Every structure is written in structure tokens, then in C-alpha cells.
Amino acid sequence: MSRRRSVRALVVVYLKGIFMGAADAVPGVSGGTIALITGIYERLIAAITALDPRALRYLPRLHRRTGRAAFRDALVEMDIPFLMALGLGIATALVTVARLMAYAFETYPAYVAALFFGLIAASAVVLYEYVSLDTPRRVAVAVFGFVLAFVVSGPEVGSSFSNSPTIVFFAGTIAIAGMILPGISGAFFLYVLGQYEYLSNTLTTFTNRLAGLLSGGSVGGLVEPGIVIVAFGVGALIGLFSISYAIRWALANYRAATLTFLVSLMVGALRLPVTDVLDHTSNPNPTVIGTILVVAVLGGVLVLVVDRFTEDIEFS
């Protein structure tokens, strides 16, 4: 492949990463689904599973031409250029959408909750065809998933989760699953765990202060939000090689029960957006109620449109 074609291919991957990141930034459509639509899902999984820390053995020999060549070959073999371009696209979208959501949460909290209700509810409807309640064990799994999500998504529980780096780290390990698994969004887990708004605001604060360095801002201002972002990133990295693999194993070996559990989680978690809508609607006049319903429907339609384009792709 020529250098021009190689650069062009990476730019295309970057753009696909933007679409993945935008999907992962809101509860509903998963980045894994977008990866399926854009035809890079299998390559993404292959690249992730090809990562090999043994490539670091070439680092002490980078001052030699042979060492640099060997290291470059190892990176290409692991498809690191692809992962870097995709990751940069995802990061670009996350930063952009985080800014929009931080503003929306502050200005239109009830409408944001209504949008999330539509996104999550439609996702559960789309995945319902994979639900199986034909055995007592699967019924028990469904009830457990629903009750677990219903309890965790209660306002008294969600508000009890702190925003400490430890909790953020834990949230990162779970949220990453939505980025590589079709059907469920990583942002959904963050929303249920009460970390979504906090992380959106933190990411916006970090990028604002980072940009502020150009106008004489203090580096010290990056420390506090930076610790949160690093904690989430490390958690996501660990989750990528643990929880995500565990879920993929469960799908491979207990597909019906696992999907039933995931869909039950979504249905039970609908308690959270409903509660948020009620808490932030102080004047429930017909106009406000109508707007809330329209926003919820639009969220649901978005998920259904995405599903329309993936109906011929097998969920795996």
C-alpha cells in the first residue's frame, strides 16, 4: 500500500472512530454497533486480542536501525496504527459530545433524561428478540437483572456513589464493555452508576484548562480533573482485558441467559430517567410534557433507525 493510500485509510478509520465515540457518549446505541455498521468490528476485536506486551522488548534497541525496524514491524503486526487512528477519533467525539452534554445537563436536565429514556427503552426493545424465558433459570436471571438495575438506579442509591477516583476507576472497567460489544452502551453503565454527568463535566473542565495553557493558565489546574481522567482510562484499559473478555465468554457459552440479563438491566434502569424527569419538571404544563414526550420518542427513533441498518448483521 502506498503512503498516500495508507494515510487516507487511517483518516477513514479516524472518521469511523468519531461515529463510534459519539455513540458511546450517550446511553443507547453502542460503539460496537457502529463498528459493525462501518465494517471494522472484526478488525477491532482482532487488533485488541493481538496486543502483545512482548513488543516492548525492542525499546532498549531503538537507537539501532534494526531495533527501530523490528519495533515498527511489531506495531504494524498488532495493527497499532489502526487502533491509534480509531482511538483518536473516539476521543475527539467524546470531548465534543461531553461539552454538549455538560451544557444540556445544566440547562435542560428533564429533556436530557427524557432523551436517555427513549434511547435505553428502544435499545431494550431492539434486543428483546434475543431474550429467552423458556427455563426457570433464565426467568430467574431476568428477574435478578431487572431488580438489580431497578435498585441501583434509584436516586437514593445513585447519589450514594461518590465521585472518587476509585469509583471512577470501577466505572471505567465496566463502561468499556459497551465500546466493543454490540447492543449495549458504555454510557448506559456510567449513567446508572451516577458517573455520567460528573465525567462529562470533568472532561470538559480538563479540556478547557488544557486550552487555557495557551493563554497563560496554570498547569496545576489540570491535576484534579486529570487524576479523574487517568483513573477512568486505567480502569477502561483493565476492563478491556477482563470484563469485556468475560462478557464475550458468557455470550459464547450462555448466550440466551447473558442477553436476557443485559436486556433486563436496561428495563430495570428505566427508573432512573423517569425519576430525573419528575425531579426536574417543576411546572408540568402541557407544553413541557409534550416536549418531554417528543424528545423521548426522538431518542427511541434514533436507536430504531440504527437497528434498521444493522438488521442483517448477526449479533455476536
Side-chain angles (χ1 to χ4, degrees):
M1 181 183 296
S2 67
R3 182 177 181 84
R4 175 177 292 184
R5 290 181 61 189
S6 178
V7 171
R8 181 182 178 185
L10 290 178
V11 170
V12 172
V13 171
Y14 169 77
L15 294 176
K16 292 180 178 182
I18 289 179
F19 287 114
M20 279 188 66
D24 276 313
V26 293
V29 182
S30 76
T33 298
I34 301 301
L36 278 174
I37 295 173
T38 56
I40 61 172
Y41 182 72
E42 291 185 5
R43 184 177 179 183
L44 172 60
I45 298 302
I48 291 174
T49 54
L51 293 176
D52 187 353
R54 289 178 296 180
L56 299 177
R57 68 182 183 274
Y58 297 114
L59 291 181
R61 291 182 279 168
L62 290 182
H63 62 286
R64 298 178 181 175
R65 183 177 180 179
T66 55
R68 291 193 297 272
F71 185 60
R72 182 174 60 253
D73 291 343
L75 295 182
V76 172
E77 185 177 354
M78 291 186 292
D79 216 357
I80 294 299
F82 164 79
L83 289 177
M84 291 181 65
L86 188 68
L88 184 59
I90 292 173
T92 301
L94 290 178
V95 170
T96 303
V97 176
R99 287 180 172 277
L100 293 175
M101 296 312 300
Y103 171 79
F105 265 113
E106 182 177 353
T107 312
Y108 308 105
Y111 298 145
V112 171
L115 174 66
F116 287 179
F117 178 90
L119 291 169
I120 296 171
S123 296
V125 170
V126 166
L127 293 176
Y128 181 75
E129 64 178 294
Y130 302 105
V131 172
S132 176
L133 300 175
D134 55 354
T135 67
R137 180 177 298 179
R138 289 173 185 168
V139 171
V141 167
V143 172
F144 175 71
F146 176 85
V147 173
L148 175 64
F150 189 85
V151 171
V152 172
S153 62
E156 67 282 354
V157 176
S159 59
S160 66
F161 288 116
S162 69
N163 299 130
S164 67
T166 301
I167 297 298
V168 170
F169 167 85
F170 173 72
T173 62
I174 297 179
I176 192 62
M179 185 168 291
I180 66 171
L181 296 176
I184 189 165
S185 169
F188 164 76
F189 292 114
L190 295 180
Y191 183 52
V192 172
L193 293 173
Q195 303 300 311
Y196 184 89
E197 183 177 0
Y198 171 70
L199 287 172
S200 296
N201 291 331
T202 300
L203 184 57
T204 299
T205 298
F206 180 81
T207 53
N208 285 341
R209 293 179 181 178
L210 188 63
L213 293 179
L214 300 177
S215 57
S218 171
V219 176
L222 295 174
V223 175
E224 184 176 351
I227 290 175
V228 175
I229 293 173
V230 169
F232 180 83
V234 173
L237 186 62
I238 293 176
L240 187 65
F241 297 102
S242 56
I243 292 180
S244 295
Y245 273 76
I247 295 178
R248 285 181 60 80
W249 175 86
L251 284 172
N253 294 276
Y254 303 100
R255 179 186 178 87
T258 301
L259 291 174
T260 298
F261 176 73
L262 292 176
V263 174
S264 298
L265 282 179
M266 291 181 178
V267 176
L270 288 173
R271 176 186 181 185
L272 181 56
V274 170
T275 301
D276 285 344
V277 168
L278 295 176
D279 288 345
H280 293 99
T281 307
S282 57
N283 183 26
N285 57 63
T287 300
V288 172
I289 295 175
T291 304
I292 287 174
L293 292 176
V294 168
V295 171
V297 170
L298 288 176
V301 169
L302 174 62
V303 174
L304 296 178
V305 168
V306 172
D307 177 64
R308 173 66 179 81
F309 285 98
T310 59
E311 63 181 358
D312 60 335
I313 302 176
E314 182 181 356
F315 186 102
S316 60

